[in-house]
Structures are given as structure tokens and as C-alpha cells.
Amino acid sequence: MPKINVYLPDDLAEAVKDAGVPVSAVCQRALEQAVRRVTAIRQTALSELSADDLDERLPAFTARTRAVIKLAVDRARAGDSANVGTGHLLAGMVAEGGNLALHVLRALDIDPAQIQRDLERQTGTEEGGAEDDSSVHFSTAAAGALELAVTEATALGHNYVGCEHLLLGLVTEPDGTAGQVLLAHGAEPRLTRRAVTAALAGYVHLRAQTSAADPVQVLATAVQQQLQPLVARIERLEERLGPAPEQR
């Protein structure tokens, strides 16, 4: 049986050793799930997309994430695009309106409405994915972003792929229109990943303390509370470093 080495930080390695966690079994299970999810995306990217069967093809994706993908498919078809690109996925995320990814963007002082306006000004389509002009497929960059979303979810130990994971996938995909737009607004991968992690931790804690509250309001409050210290540290760092060279 082939052997794959797994490298862990020293503190985690010690904790795993002390707890006696069966690393091989855990890794195998996580890899099996990740492979199934990525394979489902690649199969979808190579066949005609139908909004009606996305639930069956991508069962690990949350209802909101599938709604975003369906909105992206509709936008691509309405624009006579042969491919569903990362821009369509990001526009679908904005149009869905109630997902965690949008709360994270707002907490980072990024206005989703401005993101939408910037996307509308983009021209051209992303390459790859389309075999002919009669059906719609994921572009190469969009398929890559979805695969990265699965990777992000797996790295966070989640058994689902949510819009927050999709946001990370879009930010991390280097060749996508969405990533370029997000990066222009300051949503670089490391900062966005930390923001998502903080938002998720805050939501779980605050939701447990206020089970009767409106979950949307709880989510917004959690994101704001968790990201305030991070934003403050960034502002202090910017003050010490001074303006960027092009602004001096």
C-alpha cells in the first residue's frame, strides 16, 4: 500500500501523540471525502451544467452555496457565455444576499455592491471548460476555485462546503476574474482566511449563547466582534509602515 507522509506543526504533533489519535484512519477518511468532492466538481465541469441537478452532483455543498452556483449558471446563460466563470460565481454570491461570505467582506470594509459594479465592468470570458457552443460549463478558473473551496473546507475540518469556503477559493484562484476584483479591494488570501476563521469561531460561540436570536443578526454580530481586533491590528501596522510607495 502506498505511503503518504503527513507533516504537522510541533505542537499539534505532540497533542496528536498524547491523545493517541489514529492519524492514518483520520487522514484516509478526510482524503476520501475530499477526492469525492473534487471528482464531482471535475465531472460537472466536463458535462453540461443544469441547475436542477446540482443538488445531486454536489451534495457536500450547502444549500446556500448551491443557490449561488445556480445563480451563476443563470447569469452565464443570460449573458450568452459558454462558461460559468469566477465572476459569475462571485456575482451569484452577492445576489444570494444572506451568506457568511458577504458578512466577512463587509467586516473587511468591502462593499458587496461595489464588487458587483466592478464585475459588471469586466469584459471577456475565462478560458477552458467548454467543449462546444451548445452547453454551459465551468471555466478552468471556476473549476479551480471550487476545488480550492473543497480544500479550504477540508483544512478547516468541515464536512460541508459553504459560501465562506467558496470565497476563499475565489480569492486564492490566481487566474480568475473574481480573485482579481477581490484582491483589488484588499481581500488577499491570508487576511480573508483569518477573517473567515474568526467569523466562524465567533458565530458558533455567540449562537450558543443566544439560541433564540435571529441567526442572521447573530452571524453579523459575530463577524463584527471577531474581526474588530484584527482590523485594529492591521490599521496600527499600516500607521507604523506609512503609506504605500505609490501613495508617497
Side-chain angles (χ1 to χ4, degrees), residues 4 29 50 79 123 127 164 199 204 215 240:
I4 299 177
R29 179 60 175 167
S50 170
T123 59
E127 296 180 354
E164 63 274 20
V204 170
R240 291 198 297 270

Side-chain angles (χ1 to χ4, degrees), residues 8 32 49 54 74 84-85 90 95 98 102 110 126 145 154 173-174 178 186 200 209 212 219 224 226 234 244:
L8 302 176
E32 287 174 351
L49 286 175
L54 284 176
D74 292 342
V84 178
L90 183 56
L102 298 184
I110 299 174
E126 295 171 353
T154 302
E173 169 53 52
L200 287 169
Q209 301 299 318
L219 180 58
Q224 184 177 12
Q226 291 293 314
I234 293 172

Side-chain angles (χ1 to χ4, degrees), residues 54-56 58-71:
L54 284 176
D55 294 359
E56 180 179 349
L58 304 174
F61 284 57
T62 65
R64 283 190 185 277
T65 310
R66 291 196 299 269
V68 166
I69 296 175
K70 290 175 183 177
L71 287 168

